[in-house]
Every structure is written in C-alpha cells, then in structure tokens.
Amino acid sequence: MKIAIMGAMPEEIEPLLEYFGKYKTIEYAKNKFYTLDYKGSEIVIAYSKIGKVNATITATTLIEKFGCEKLLFSGVAGAIASSLKVGDLVIATKLSQHDLDITAFGHPYGYVPEGSVYEEADKELIKIAKSVALKEGIELIETIIATGDQFICEVEKKDWIQKTFDAGALEMEGAAVALVCNALDVPFFILRSISDAADMDASFSFDEFLESSAKISAKFIISMIESIIDKTK
Ligand code: OS5
C-alpha cells in the first residue's frame, strides 16, 4: 500500500517528517517528495506550495509518478461557521471551487460543463477518521469545504461563500486535490485545523496559529495512517 500525505505549506508537513524520521528526498517538477517505509507500507509526503494549480501538480505527481493509492491532505483552514474555533478539526464531506464562475452562461457558481459543483470525498476514509476520533476522544467536524485562489479576509466574502456553497470552512487547495483524485479514482481525505476566521484579522490569526494548528492536523493524520495500515494487515 502506497499512501500520499500532502500539505500546501512547509509548516503543514514538517510535523509529519519529524514523526516519521528517516526519509529519502526525490526532486521532481521543481518540488520535493519525501519517501519512507513505515510498518510495511510506503508513504510519500510533499507540500505543493499554495493554490489550486500547485495542488493539482503535486496531487497528480503523487498518483501518476509515485503510484500512491490513497491521498490524505493535512493542513489549516479559515473558518466560515461561527461555531468553529482555532485548532478545531474539520473534514471535508465534499469540496467546491468558490472562484469558478461561468454564471454568465446560466450555470451555478463552481460548475463547469461535464463537471459538478461538488467533489465528494472518500466515504471509507471518512469512516476511518470518525472511528479514530471516537477512539481518541477527538471532535471532528464534517463540513463542505470551499476552495479558491484567494486568502479570504473579509466577512462579506466569507458570508457569500457560506450562502453560495453551504461551506463551513475554506482554503486554497482542497477542491483541486479532490478533482485530481476523483478523476484518477484515488480515494482522498481532506483534513484541516482552523487557523483563522477568514475575517479582517485573518492574516494575524493565520501567522499566530499556522504552526500549532498544522501540528493538530498532522497528529490526527498520523493516527489515521496507523489505522489504515492496521486494516491492510
Ligand atoms: O495554503 C494557503 C491556504 N491555507 C488555508 C487557509 C486559508 N485559505 C484561504 N483563506 C483563509 N482565510 C485561510 N486560512 C487558512 C493557508 C495558506 C494561506 S496563504 C498564506 C501565505 C503566507 C506566506 N506568504 N509568504 N510567506 C508565507 C513566507 C514565505 C516566503 C517564501 C517561501 C515560502 C513562504
């Protein structure tokens, strides 16, 4: 079993590299991929750099070049739902691109012909996540995640995203990863820990909590890896 773990920023994968310890570094497509063996499984870890296009390149590379059979994303997100606080863990049930707009042709936001507004995450990986959370007494919030090539720091914009996509959290890579994985039939899972409220203080909150929230997300991903590997034995 070959499993990919992907982040967007160095801070999002550093706790994982620290945990797994010994890895090989392979450079490809102007990016670094960290490969390691763990309890009989192969793991490939990479951060994509920010945004949908970078995320698309990295997810595609993890699948097509490295042969990963499952992809787990670990990182941080901005909260839309007012109940979400810094450090909370959210998992995507489905994802949409909030900046995709051909409404001029009568289509809904987030839709392109021959596509769909939402990309669904893998139900089996969500089930594993929920059972890990139950066992460890961790609260996981299942929600729709909206993705776009914008750091959202404006209440009006986040309210629009909430209204239009019914999303509880937002970020800049998830829907791209989802599209790649669904197109290539690779089960994927998107986990994010809240770093900010996507409001006027977002950039300050993000700077303050990026590292701690990224660690919370990475810690949960490690527990999921243990569970996935146990199940394949
Ligand atoms: O990957 C981007 C999306 N992430 C989730 C997120 C988010 N997305 C949209 N809106 C929000 N309110 C969100 N909150 C969390 C986080 C990340 C956001 S973009 C952050 C860019 C920060 C930065 N810029 N320069 N550096 C860091 C320093 C630097 C310099 C050279 C090389 C690498 C980093």
Side-chain angles (χ1 to χ4, degrees), residues 8-10 12 49-51 76-78 148 150-153 170-173 192 195-199 202 206-207 210:
M9 302 181 71
E12 292 173 328
K49 295 173 276 190
I50 290 157
V76 301
Q150 298 159 3
F151 183 81
I152 305 294
C153 49
L170 51 85
E171 35 86 313
M172 300 177 68
E173 297 84 17
R192 299 265 184 175
S195 56
D196 59 85
D199 57 9
F206 177 80
D207 280 344
L210 166 63

Side-chain angles (χ1 to χ4, degrees), residues 96-103 107-111 117 160 164-165:
S96 192
Q97 298 181 65
H98 67 70
D99 56 355
L100 206 174
D101 178 0
I102 53 164
T103 55
H107 297 299
Y109 286 104
Y111 178 83
V117 174
W160 179 84
T164 311
F165 297 96

Side-chain angles (χ1 to χ4, degrees), residues 2 5 37 39 43 46 54 78 110 128 136 152 178 182 203-204:
K2 214 168 192 183
I5 313 178
D37 291 322
K39 297 186 178 174
I43 298 179
N54 281 322
I128 293 172
E136 299 193 358
I152 305 294
N182 282 343
S203 60
F204 305 104

Side-chain angles (χ1 to χ4, degrees), residues 161-233:
I161 293 170
Q162 195 285 324
K163 251 193 0 248
T164 311
F165 297 96
D166 196 22
L170 51 85
E171 35 86 313
M172 300 177 68
E173 297 84 17
V177 172
L179 260 157
V180 169
C181 290
N182 282 343
L184 298 172
D185 286 326
V186 169
F188 74 93
F189 174 76
I190 309 280
L191 176 74
R192 299 265 184 175
S193 174
I194 299 300
S195 56
D196 59 85
D199 57 9
M200 62 187 286
D201 300 321
S203 60
F204 305 104
S205 179
F206 177 80
D207 280 344
E208 187 175 351
F209 296 111
L210 166 63
E211 217 179 291
S212 57
S213 292
K215 275 187 188 151
I216 291 170
S217 177
K219 189 160 183 266
F220 191 85
I221 288 289
I222 290 163
S223 299
M224 271 191 78
I225 292 284
E226 301 285 359
S227 177
I228 292 166
I229 290 175
D230 276 353
K231 279 186 176 21
T232 57
K233 276 182 184 156

Side-chain angles (χ1 to χ4, degrees), residues 116-132:
S116 54
V117 174
Y118 297 101
E119 292 291 326
E120 303 238 353
D122 182 64
K123 293 199 172 51
E124 194 51 41
L125 288 171
I126 292 179
K127 204 164 125 195
I128 293 172
K130 283 159 93 171
S131 85
V132 167

